[in-house]
Every structure is written in C-alpha cells, then in structure tokens.
Amino acid sequence: VGQWDYLAGQNQQFKVLSGGNGSYLLTPMHAIGKCLEIYGWSNSNGGIADIWDYTATGGGNQNWLIQPTDNGFYKIINVNSGKALEVTLGTNDPAVPLRNGTAVDQSDYTGGKNQQWGFVKI
C-alpha cells in the first residue's frame, strides 16, 4: 500500500465495514473479498500494510480501531499489534514533501500528521 495523489479511482477508495467487537475492516472498492492488513502479523514498528484476501480471523492483523484525534482526524490502530497506520517518513525534515509511492506501514502512535487520517463519504 502506498500514498498517491488522489485521482478518484476505486483503488483509492475503501469501504469501512464492521469487523466485530468495535473493530473495522477496510476493504478496497476495486478488490472484492480483500482488505487492508499488516503483512505477516507483524508487531514491529515498520510492519508493512498490504491488501490481502479477507481471512475472517477476528481481531487479527486485518482488524482496525478507528479513534478520533483532537483535531478532527482519526488514528487507525491495528488490533493485533496496537500500532498506528502511517505514511512512512523517510526523513525527519518537515520541509521534505512525501512523494507518490511512499509506503504505508505501522508504528507507535506519536500524533504526527503522517498518522492522522480523514474520511470522506463518496
């Protein structure tokens, strides 16, 4: 999974579905039967987000908690690892823009803008 300029394609749109127990599944519009997960059930910072077949594991690496932040955005926390979904920062310099193709992974939640997400109804 990677960051890209928004082009309104179905590959950039997700359905948010109940995963049970207050968690959610994020299923891409272009890939029926698949959902966002953390590859290999990683519990490590830097564990890569990918799209894979829905496995109905309940509470696993495909389930997410969506929690509001103080500024109107949301943090998305993986149920298995407890880590936040983020756009990978390749630098600590805020003047360096994130580029198309920048990977999405997980890390401890720090409140950075790279870990805050918005939802838009389409």
Side-chain angles (χ1 to χ4, degrees), residues 67 82 91 99:
Q67 303 170 336
T91 176
R99 296 183 175 86

Side-chain angles (χ1 to χ4, degrees), residues 28-42:
M29 295 293 290
H30 78 292
I32 304 301
K34 300 193 182 292
C35 62
L36 182 70
E37 69 170 18
I38 295 298
Y39 178 77
W41 289 72
S42 175

Side-chain angles (χ1 to χ4, degrees), residues 1-5 12 87-88 97-104 114 117:
V1 174
Q3 167 185 267
W4 208 267
D5 294 331
Q12 295 180 311
V87 177
T88 306
L98 298 174
R99 296 183 175 86
N100 285 340
T102 301
V104 175
N114 65 316
W117 302 87

Side-chain angles (χ1 to χ4, degrees), residues 37-61:
E37 69 170 18
I38 295 298
Y39 178 77
W41 289 72
S42 175
N43 286 315
S44 300
N45 288 340
I48 298 296
D50 68 354
I51 303 296
W52 198 256
D53 295 337
Y54 172 64
T55 60
T57 55
N61 65 329

Side-chain angles (χ1 to χ4, degrees), residues 87-118:
V87 177
T88 306
L89 288 177
T91 176
N92 291 326
D93 183 351
V96 176
L98 298 174
R99 296 183 175 86
N100 285 340
T102 301
V104 175
D105 67 8
Q106 69 177 1
S107 191
D108 295 326
Y109 184 72
T110 63
K113 290 182 180 181
N114 65 316
Q115 294 180 323
Q116 297 182 38
W117 302 87

